[in-house]
Amino acid sequence: DAGVIQSPRHEVTEMGQEVTLRCKPISGHNSLFWYRQTMMRGLELLIYFNNNVPIDDSGMPEDRFSAKMPNASFSTLKIQPSEPRDSAVYFCASSFIGRGDEQYFGPGTRLTVT
Amino acid sequence: AQTVTQSQPEMSVQEAETVTLSCTYDTSESDYYLFWYKQPPSRQMILVIRQEAYKQQNATENRFSVNFQKAAKSFSLKISDSQLGDAAMYFCAYRRADDMRFGAGTRLTVKP
C-alpha cells in the first residue's frame, strides 16, 4: 500500500484566497483525521470522520474551515478565505477502528499564507 | 477531557546510551490505546510503539520499549542503544474510540 497520500505537499497562497488540501487514506481504513501542527499549538485535531461521516468537528477553528469526505478514498480540507495565521503543516491520518487503532499519517501539507 | 502530558520539552542522549521519555495521561476509562510517534525533520509521523491498556505486559519493538503503569497513568518510552537516526520529536498519544489526544512532544537530540 502506498500509505496515506496528501496533496499538495507545499502550498503558498495570498491572504483571502481559497485553499483546498486533499487526502487519500489507506484502502480499507474506516476512519480519517485532519490535524494541524504549529510551533505554538502543537498537533491539533481538527475533524474526524468515521465511515465517511463527520463525527467530531469541534477542533475546526472557525467557519472558514470546512472538510468533506465524499467517499471512502478521498477527503478535502478547505479554507476560505485563508489568513496568515492559518500557516501550518496540515496532516491527514487514517486508521481502522477495532484493529489496533493506530493512525497512519500522510506526509503533510505545508501551507504558507502571505 | 482526556489530556496527555509530556513534561520534558527536550532531552539529550549520547549515542549508544539509553534514554527514557516520560508521558502521563488523564482518563476515567479502563480500555484504551497508547502510542508513541516519532517525527524526524522530514516531519513524517511514524508509529514507534503501541500499548493496549488491557495488557499488563509492556510492549517492545526492537530497541524501543515502554513502561506502562496503568494505575499511575504513566507511559514512558525507553530507547536503548540510541542511534543518530533516533533524533526527532517524540509524541505520546492516547486513543479511545474517536477520542485521540497527543502530547506536546519531546525533542530528542542524539550526540555522537
Side-chain angles (χ1 to χ4, degrees):
Chain A
D1 197 315
V4 176
I5 299 173
Q6 289 186 249
S7 65
R9 294 293 305 275
H10 302 273
E11 177 79 25
V12 180
T13 190
E14 292 183 349
M15 181 174 63
Q17 296 298 307
E18 177 181 296
V19 175
T20 299
L21 311 182
R22 297 172 176 78
C23 176
K24 177 179 170 54
I26 292 174
S27 177
H29 281 185
N30 60 4
S31 62
L32 183 142
F33 302 76
W34 281 102
Y35 291 91
R36 178 173 67 178
Q37 186 178 37
T38 61
M39 289 293 293
M40 291 296 295
R41 301 175 69 90
L43 197 61
E44 301 173 277
L45 176 64
L46 299 177
I47 188 169
Y48 156 65
F49 292 86
N50 190 25
N51 293 321
N52 312 338
V53 177
I55 302 300
D56 183 3
D57 65 353
S58 59
M60 296 286 262
E62 48 200 275
D63 292 344
R64 298 185 297 107
F65 286 69
S66 61
K68 294 182 180 180
M69 193 165 185
N71 56 62
S73 60
F74 183 65
S75 177
T76 59
L77 177 68
K78 184 180 294 185
I79 307 172
Q80 166 63 22
S82 59
E83 297 182 2
R85 58 194 170 113
D86 301 330
S87 298
V89 179
Y90 291 82
F91 287 100
C92 174
S94 70
S95 70
F96 189 93
I97 294 179
R99 188 192 301 158
D101 279 26
E102 59 261 39
Q103 296 184 1
Y104 295 84
F105 282 76
T109 295
R110 180 176 291 279
L111 173 65
T112 302
V113 183
T114 61
Chain B
Q2 274 61 258
T3 59
V4 178
T5 302
Q6 293 180 249
S7 60
Q8 306 153 318
E10 297 183 353
M11 289 285 285
S12 179
V13 63
Q14 202 73 33
E15 192 176 7
E17 297 295 312
T18 296
V19 65
T20 298
L21 308 184
S22 301
C23 173
T24 58
Y25 57 95
D26 178 37
T27 185
S28 58
E29 305 293 341
S30 61
D31 188 17
Y32 48 87
Y33 293 91
L34 297 166
F35 308 92
W36 279 97
Y37 283 88
K38 170 186 178 181
Q39 188 179 37
S42 68
R43 78 169 183 254
Q44 176 72 52
M45 292 284 282
I46 303 166
L47 179 66
V48 174
I49 200 165
R50 60 188 289 270
Q51 175 81 42
E52 294 95 332
Y54 64 86
K55 290 186 176 180
Q56 291 186 334
Q57 186 174 7
N58 289 324
T60 299
E61 288 288 343
N62 301 314
R63 299 182 296 107
F64 298 87
S65 61
V66 299
N67 183 5
F68 174 47
Q69 301 290 327
K70 190 171 184 178
K73 298 178 184 176
S74 171
F75 182 61
S76 60
L77 174 70
K78 185 172 80 171
I79 306 174
S80 304
D81 185 26
S82 297
Q83 301 175 0
L84 295 178
D86 295 334
M89 282 288 289
Y90 286 81
F91 293 93
C92 178
Y94 164 103
R95 181 171 184 183
R96 184 180 185 275
D98 57 359
D99 185 9
M100 182 82 186
R101 306 283 172 169
F102 284 82
T106 296
R107 182 174 299 281
L108 178 66
T109 301
V110 181
K111 298 179 179 178

